[in-house]
Amino acid sequence: MTDDSPRRACLTLDLEKNWNFEDPELKYATFDYLDDYIDLLDTLDLPLSVFVVGETIEDRPDAIERLQERLDVEFHLHSYSHDISGSADFEREVRLGTQAFESFFGRQPEGYRSTQGRIERSAFRFLESSGFLFDSSVFPTYRPGVYNNLRAPVEPYQATGTDSLLEIPVAVVPRLRFPLSQGYVKAIGAPFLAVLRHIPLQDVVVYNSHLQDFYHTQAHERLGPQRKLFYGRNVAQSEHIFERVVETLRRKGYSFVKMTDVYDAYTEGGDRPRRRSAND
């Protein structure tokens, strides 16, 4: 990529259950608002890249079908169980998730995102050997007890120890290293929007989001006090805040694209290999 390369922004949605609740009334409570989310993106004319959990594919194929019917959307894999304890076996999560993905879509997933951005260097090699073209797990910031990626690049790069796997990191505010994620932008609100308007950003902005970042449900009320405060803050204004983010990025010259468009741009014109289907 050169200095005159176009600026690209990718809206990504992690499609998953709510904070690992298994109660039927809480597990997919935000899916009741899926049509509102679709209407929001349709009004803003935004393409979407979805990282979907394998269990969610099995539990809620209807949600995937609704997204496919109404939006310009592509799907990638976001683990199998979305275990947030950090104890899940990574390779097992990839294998089971891939099986669920192939069963529904009839092809291998091209991209991967790990749960909570937890990923070890050895995992990149496993993803490449499993046929993935890119990963988007790395948040180039610091999250106590989860990861310290303050030295990670903020632009796409070849993942450590791989021959060609492209890491497309989630965007952060440069220097401050604050994540450009709907959960964080919503929680901080107007001050974050003001910073976003005035500070230079990287050429590729991968904007992370979840349905629970946009819509308040019973699940929010069942969180512990600190998490309830963070995830509930400004949630009633979340759609409006998101619209402001999109407007700001467009004014800065960003075109909204999908994750595979970024991959193509960083791999010599997008000469992607044919992906194996489930029937090959």
PDB file of all heavy atoms in Angstrom, residues 140-158:
ATOM      1  N   PRO A 140      -4.757  -3.824  18.794  1.00  0.00           N
ATOM      2  CA  PRO A 140      -3.426  -3.279  19.114  1.00  0.00           C
ATOM      3  C   PRO A 140      -3.464  -2.324  20.308  1.00  0.00           C
ATOM      4  O   PRO A 140      -3.147  -1.143  20.204  1.00  0.00           O
ATOM      5  CB  PRO A 140      -3.023  -2.560  17.825  1.00  0.00           C
ATOM      6  CG  PRO A 140      -4.028  -2.944  16.797  1.00  0.00           C
ATOM      7  CD  PRO A 140      -5.273  -3.261  17.547  1.00  0.00           C
ATOM      8  N   THR A 141      -3.876  -2.857  21.439  1.00  0.00           N
ATOM      9  CA  THR A 141      -4.033  -2.054  22.646  1.00  0.00           C
ATOM     10  C   THR A 141      -3.780  -2.946  23.847  1.00  0.00           C
ATOM     11  O   THR A 141      -3.261  -4.067  23.707  1.00  0.00           O
ATOM     12  CB  THR A 141      -5.444  -1.420  22.688  1.00  0.00           C
ATOM     13  OG1 THR A 141      -5.543  -0.564  23.823  1.00  0.00           O
ATOM     14  CG2 THR A 141      -6.533  -2.459  22.748  1.00  0.00           C
ATOM     15  N   TYR A 142      -4.143  -2.484  25.026  1.00  0.00           N
ATOM     16  CA  TYR A 142      -3.919  -3.233  26.264  1.00  0.00           C
ATOM     17  C   TYR A 142      -5.247  -3.455  26.970  1.00  0.00           C
ATOM     18  O   TYR A 142      -6.009  -2.513  27.196  1.00  0.00           O
ATOM     19  CB  TYR A 142      -2.974  -2.453  27.171  1.00  0.00           C
ATOM     20  CG  TYR A 142      -2.773  -3.056  28.538  1.00  0.00           C
ATOM     21  CD1 TYR A 142      -2.180  -4.310  28.687  1.00  0.00           C
ATOM     22  CD2 TYR A 142      -3.164  -2.365  29.688  1.00  0.00           C
ATOM     23  CE1 TYR A 142      -1.987  -4.863  29.944  1.00  0.00           C
ATOM     24  CE2 TYR A 142      -2.976  -2.911  30.949  1.00  0.00           C
ATOM     25  CZ  TYR A 142      -2.389  -4.167  31.064  1.00  0.00           C
ATOM     26  OH  TYR A 142      -2.201  -4.721  32.312  1.00  0.00           O
ATOM     27  N   ARG A 143      -5.508  -4.721  27.304  1.00  0.00           N
ATOM     28  CA  ARG A 143      -6.689  -5.070  28.077  1.00  0.00           C
ATOM     29  C   ARG A 143      -6.229  -5.913  29.255  1.00  0.00           C
ATOM     30  O   ARG A 143      -5.808  -7.065  29.065  1.00  0.00           O
ATOM     31  CB  ARG A 143      -7.713  -5.838  27.241  1.00  0.00           C
ATOM     32  CG  ARG A 143      -9.007  -6.142  27.985  1.00  0.00           C
ATOM     33  CD  ARG A 143     -10.039  -6.749  27.054  1.00  0.00           C
ATOM     34  NE  ARG A 143     -11.272  -7.066  27.767  1.00  0.00           N
ATOM     35  CZ  ARG A 143     -12.350  -7.598  27.198  1.00  0.00           C
ATOM     36  NH1 ARG A 143     -12.336  -7.852  25.894  1.00  0.00           N
ATOM     37  NH2 ARG A 143     -13.425  -7.874  27.911  1.00  0.00           N
ATOM     38  N   PRO A 144      -6.254  -5.374  30.465  1.00  0.00           N
ATOM     39  CA  PRO A 144      -5.693  -6.079  31.627  1.00  0.00           C
ATOM     40  C   PRO A 144      -6.252  -7.492  31.784  1.00  0.00           C
ATOM     41  O   PRO A 144      -7.471  -7.697  31.721  1.00  0.00           O
ATOM     42  CB  PRO A 144      -6.109  -5.187  32.805  1.00  0.00           C
ATOM     43  CG  PRO A 144      -6.273  -3.832  32.215  1.00  0.00           C
ATOM     44  CD  PRO A 144      -6.818  -4.060  30.829  1.00  0.00           C
ATOM     45  N   GLY A 145      -5.337  -8.443  31.937  1.00  0.00           N
ATOM     46  CA  GLY A 145      -5.731  -9.822  32.137  1.00  0.00           C
ATOM     47  C   GLY A 145      -6.128 -10.564  30.883  1.00  0.00           C
ATOM     48  O   GLY A 145      -6.424 -11.771  30.941  1.00  0.00           O
ATOM     49  N   VAL A 146      -6.146  -9.861  29.745  1.00  0.00           N
ATOM     50  CA  VAL A 146      -6.565 -10.512  28.492  1.00  0.00           C
ATOM     51  C   VAL A 146      -5.444 -10.480  27.457  1.00  0.00           C
ATOM     52  O   VAL A 146      -5.046 -11.507  26.920  1.00  0.00           O
ATOM     53  CB  VAL A 146      -7.838  -9.857  27.922  1.00  0.00           C
ATOM     54  CG1 VAL A 146      -8.287 -10.580  26.642  1.00  0.00           C
ATOM     55  CG2 VAL A 146      -8.964  -9.886  28.963  1.00  0.00           C
ATOM     56  N   TYR A 147      -4.904  -9.283  27.156  1.00  0.00           N
ATOM     57  CA  TYR A 147      -3.797  -9.177  26.202  1.00  0.00           C
ATOM     58  C   TYR A 147      -3.074  -7.855  26.388  1.00  0.00           C
ATOM     59  O   TYR A 147      -3.612  -6.900  26.949  1.00  0.00           O
ATOM     60  CB  TYR A 147      -4.286  -9.318  24.757  1.00  0.00           C
ATOM     61  CG  TYR A 147      -5.446  -8.428  24.386  1.00  0.00           C
ATOM     62  CD1 TYR A 147      -5.294  -7.052  24.236  1.00  0.00           C
ATOM     63  CD2 TYR A 147      -6.716  -8.962  24.176  1.00  0.00           C
ATOM     64  CE1 TYR A 147      -6.355  -6.239  23.904  1.00  0.00           C
ATOM     65  CE2 TYR A 147      -7.791  -8.150  23.845  1.00  0.00           C
ATOM     66  CZ  TYR A 147      -7.607  -6.793  23.714  1.00  0.00           C
ATOM     67  OH  TYR A 147      -8.663  -5.982  23.384  1.00  0.00           O
ATOM     68  N   ASN A 148      -1.841  -7.845  25.898  1.00  0.00           N
ATOM     69  CA  ASN A 148      -1.053  -6.611  25.819  1.00  0.00           C
ATOM     70  C   ASN A 148      -0.456  -6.553  24.421  1.00  0.00           C
ATOM     71  O   ASN A 148       0.561  -7.173  24.137  1.00  0.00           O
ATOM     72  CB  ASN A 148       0.042  -6.581  26.872  1.00  0.00           C
ATOM     73  CG  ASN A 148       0.824  -5.258  26.850  1.00  0.00           C
ATOM     74  OD1 ASN A 148       0.654  -4.440  25.946  1.00  0.00           O
ATOM     75  ND2 ASN A 148       1.691  -5.061  27.827  1.00  0.00           N
ATOM     76  N   ASN A 149      -1.117  -5.815  23.546  1.00  0.00           N
ATOM     77  CA  ASN A 149      -0.704  -5.714  22.141  1.00  0.00           C
ATOM     78  C   ASN A 149      -0.266  -4.294  21.792  1.00  0.00           C
ATOM     79  O   ASN A 149      -0.438  -3.837  20.660  1.00  0.00           O
ATOM     80  CB  ASN A 149      -1.856  -6.131  21.226  1.00  0.00           C
ATOM     81  CG  ASN A 149      -2.266  -7.580  21.418  1.00  0.00           C
ATOM     82  OD1 ASN A 149      -1.421  -8.431  21.697  1.00  0.00           O
ATOM     83  ND2 ASN A 149      -3.545  -7.859  21.278  1.00  0.00           N
ATOM     84  N   LEU A 150       0.299  -3.595  22.750  1.00  0.00           N
ATOM     85  CA  LEU A 150       0.678  -2.200  22.526  1.00  0.00           C
ATOM     86  C   LEU A 150       1.758  -2.044  21.461  1.00  0.00           C
ATOM     87  O   LEU A 150       1.911  -0.971  20.883  1.00  0.00           O
ATOM     88  CB  LEU A 150       1.129  -1.559  23.840  1.00  0.00           C
ATOM     89  CG  LEU A 150       0.015  -1.315  24.863  1.00  0.00           C
ATOM     90  CD1 LEU A 150       0.592  -0.832  26.183  1.00  0.00           C
ATOM     91  CD2 LEU A 150      -1.012  -0.309  24.333  1.00  0.00           C
ATOM     92  N   ARG A 151       2.529  -3.109  21.222  1.00  0.00           N
ATOM     93  CA  ARG A 151       3.575  -3.038  20.200  1.00  0.00           C
ATOM     94  C   ARG A 151       3.129  -3.590  18.850  1.00  0.00           C
ATOM     95  O   ARG A 151       3.909  -3.593  17.894  1.00  0.00           O
ATOM     96  CB  ARG A 151       4.813  -3.791  20.677  1.00  0.00           C
ATOM     97  CG  ARG A 151       5.476  -3.164  21.907  1.00  0.00           C
ATOM     98  CD  ARG A 151       6.767  -3.877  22.253  1.00  0.00           C
ATOM     99  NE  ARG A 151       7.442  -3.253  23.391  1.00  0.00           N
ATOM    100  CZ  ARG A 151       8.598  -3.657  23.888  1.00  0.00           C
ATOM    101  NH1 ARG A 151       9.218  -4.709  23.342  1.00  0.00           N
ATOM    102  NH2 ARG A 151       9.130  -3.036  24.919  1.00  0.00           N
ATOM    103  N   ALA A 152       1.913  -4.047  18.766  1.00  0.00           N
ATOM    104  CA  ALA A 152       1.423  -4.614  17.509  1.00  0.00           C
ATOM    105  C   ALA A 152       1.176  -3.518  16.479  1.00  0.00           C
ATOM    106  O   ALA A 152       0.773  -2.399  16.832  1.00  0.00           O
ATOM    107  CB  ALA A 152       0.136  -5.392  17.759  1.00  0.00           C
ATOM    108  N   PRO A 153       1.401  -3.804  15.192  1.00  0.00           N
ATOM    109  CA  PRO A 153       1.108  -2.821  14.142  1.00  0.00           C
ATOM    110  C   PRO A 153      -0.381  -2.473  14.118  1.00  0.00           C
ATOM    111  O   PRO A 153      -1.227  -3.283  14.503  1.00  0.00           O
ATOM    112  CB  PRO A 153       1.525  -3.538  12.853  1.00  0.00           C
ATOM    113  CG  PRO A 153       2.475  -4.601  13.301  1.00  0.00           C
ATOM    114  CD  PRO A 153       2.004  -5.036  14.649  1.00  0.00           C
ATOM    115  N   VAL A 154      -0.692  -1.282  13.640  1.00  0.00           N
ATOM    116  CA  VAL A 154      -2.087  -0.868  13.539  1.00  0.00           C
ATOM    117  C   VAL A 154      -2.629  -1.028  12.118  1.00  0.00           C
ATOM    118  O   VAL A 154      -3.829  -0.894  11.903  1.00  0.00           O
ATOM    119  CB  VAL A 154      -2.275   0.587  14.022  1.00  0.00           C
ATOM    120  CG1 VAL A 154      -1.871   0.720  15.478  1.00  0.00           C
ATOM    121  CG2 VAL A 154      -1.510   1.572  13.138  1.00  0.00           C
ATOM    122  N   GLU A 155      -1.746  -1.295  11.160  1.00  0.00           N
ATOM    123  CA  GLU A 155      -2.162  -1.564   9.784  1.00  0.00           C
ATOM    124  C   GLU A 155      -2.035  -3.061   9.502  1.00  0.00           C
ATOM    125  O   GLU A 155      -1.316  -3.774  10.217  1.00  0.00           O
ATOM    126  CB  GLU A 155      -1.292  -0.784   8.792  1.00  0.00           C
ATOM    127  CG  GLU A 155      -1.382   0.733   8.911  1.00  0.00           C
ATOM    128  CD  GLU A 155      -2.649   1.327   8.305  1.00  0.00           C
ATOM    129  OE1 GLU A 155      -3.508   0.565   7.825  1.00  0.00           O
ATOM    130  OE2 GLU A 155      -2.770   2.567   8.330  1.00  0.00           O
ATOM    131  N   PRO A 156      -2.712  -3.583   8.469  1.00  0.00           N
ATOM    132  CA  PRO A 156      -2.592  -5.008   8.144  1.00  0.00           C
ATOM    133  C   PRO A 156      -1.148  -5.432   7.925  1.00  0.00           C
ATOM    134  O   PRO A 156      -0.341  -4.680   7.364  1.00  0.00           O
ATOM    135  CB  PRO A 156      -3.409  -5.122   6.846  1.00  0.00           C
ATOM    136  CG  PRO A 156      -4.445  -4.035   6.973  1.00  0.00           C
ATOM    137  CD  PRO A 156      -3.716  -2.901   7.635  1.00  0.00           C
ATOM    138  N   TYR A 157      -0.823  -6.665   8.355  1.00  0.00           N
ATOM    139  CA  TYR A 157       0.539  -7.169   8.265  1.00  0.00           C
ATOM    140  C   TYR A 157       0.529  -8.692   8.199  1.00  0.00           C
ATOM    141  O   TYR A 157      -0.471  -9.330   8.554  1.00  0.00           O
ATOM    142  CB  TYR A 157       1.374  -6.709   9.466  1.00  0.00           C
ATOM    143  CG  TYR A 157       0.837  -7.155  10.818  1.00  0.00           C
ATOM    144  CD1 TYR A 157       1.320  -8.310  11.444  1.00  0.00           C
ATOM    145  CD2 TYR A 157      -0.151  -6.422  11.480  1.00  0.00           C
ATOM    146  CE1 TYR A 157       0.824  -8.720  12.678  1.00  0.00           C
ATOM    147  CE2 TYR A 157      -0.640  -6.829  12.713  1.00  0.00           C
ATOM    148  CZ  TYR A 157      -0.154  -7.973  13.309  1.00  0.00           C
ATOM    149  OH  TYR A 157      -0.641  -8.378  14.529  1.00  0.00           O
ATOM    150  N   GLN A 158       1.632  -9.258   7.729  1.00  0.00           N
ATOM    151  CA  GLN A 158       1.753 -10.710   7.686  1.00  0.00           C
ATOM    152  C   GLN A 158       1.904 -11.233   9.106  1.00  0.00           C
ATOM    153  O   GLN A 158       2.774 -10.802   9.853  1.00  0.00           O
ATOM    154  CB  GLN A 158       2.955 -11.138   6.850  1.00  0.00           C
ATOM    155  CG  GLN A 158       3.089 -12.655   6.697  1.00  0.00           C
ATOM    156  CD  GLN A 158       4.227 -13.028   5.767  1.00  0.00           C
ATOM    157  OE1 GLN A 158       4.427 -12.386   4.740  1.00  0.00           O
ATOM    158  NE2 GLN A 158       4.975 -14.059   6.129  1.00  0.00           N
TER     159      GLN A 158
END
